[in-house]
Every structure is written in structure tokens, then in C-alpha cells.
Amino acid sequence: MSETLYERLGGQDAIGAVVDQFYERVVEDEQVAHYFEDVDMQKQRAHQTQFISAVAGGPVDYSGENMEAAHDDLGITRPDFYVIVEHLDATLREFDVGPDDREAVLDAIAEYEGDIVTATA
């Protein structure tokens, strides 16, 4: 049996490390940092780790709020969504995740773009 994306990424601890570094990048970016000003980042990191673990095929069920409901009042624009995706891609590269696995993670996130992007630029 072949490894899941979750296993190739190194499991929940490795995904958690990626998520931590990813959010360091995001909150330092003036274009998108404002989305996280009043957010409990410890909770956010835990939810994001759980989400990526789940979409990567791990033995994890995402128990967070529905994506559309969670992002509905944030007014995220498509350009801001793509900036955040770029930060995730750069972080995955930093952790030496190969191109096929990076693409798989980003494709899984892209499936939720319509639920996350709630504003026009």
C-alpha cells in the first residue's frame, strides 16, 4: 500500500511545524496580517494543522467550523487568498516538500477557494 500525502508530509507533528512557520510568514505580511489581528493564533494553528492533516488523508477528522461560515465575515479577496497560498507554498518548499506533494496540498486548499474568498478586490 502506498503512503498517503499525510504520511509523506511527515504526519501531524511535521504538518504542525509547517503551519507554525506558515503563520509566521503570514502575520509578517502587511497585505494579509490584518485578517489575523484579533485571532487566537494558538487555536488557529491547531485548526489549520488539523485541516491540512485531514485533507492530506491523515487519520484526522477536521472538527473546525464549516469553511464558508468561518470565512464569511472576513472579506477575504482573491488576491489576498493567493498571497496566503504563496506563503504556504514557500513554507512547504522551506521544509523540502517535493513539487508533487506541494501541488497536492495546494490543490486541496484550492478546492475551498470559493468558501474562503468572500469579497471582490
Side-chain angles (χ1 to χ4, degrees):
M1 183 150 54
S2 65
E3 282 186 314
T4 64
L5 176 58
Y6 173 83
E7 292 165 332
R8 290 192 308 275
L9 292 173
Q12 193 161 357
D13 288 342
I15 292 170
V18 167
V19 167
D20 286 344
Q21 183 60 36
F22 160 70
Y23 278 119
E24 290 301 318
R25 289 174 176 270
V26 168
V27 299
E28 291 175 4
D29 186 322
E30 290 181 15
Q31 181 175 340
V32 294
H34 66 278
Y35 292 115
F36 301 93
E37 286 176 352
D38 295 323
V39 172
D40 177 339
M41 290 307 293
Q42 183 175 354
K43 184 177 176 182
Q44 180 67 25
R45 284 179 165 101
H47 279 296
Q48 188 72 0
T49 299
Q50 185 184 50
F51 174 70
I52 292 175
S53 295
V55 300
V60 177
D61 290 324
Y62 179 69
S63 62
E65 195 173 4
N66 160 302
M67 282 294 149
E68 187 174 11
H71 296 90
D72 188 46
D73 64 341
L74 298 178
I76 297 174
T77 64
R78 185 159 276 107
D80 288 350
F81 175 81
Y82 289 128
V83 165
I84 291 170
V85 168
E86 288 292 325
H87 284 302
L88 180 56
D89 186 37
T91 305
L92 291 167
R93 286 175 189 267
E94 185 179 319
F95 278 81
D96 297 322
V97 174
D100 291 343
D101 288 341
R102 281 196 323 271
E103 184 176 343
V105 171
L106 299 177
D107 286 349
I109 302 298
E111 290 182 26
Y112 294 92
E113 180 178 350
D115 293 336
I116 295 170
V117 174
T118 59
T120 57

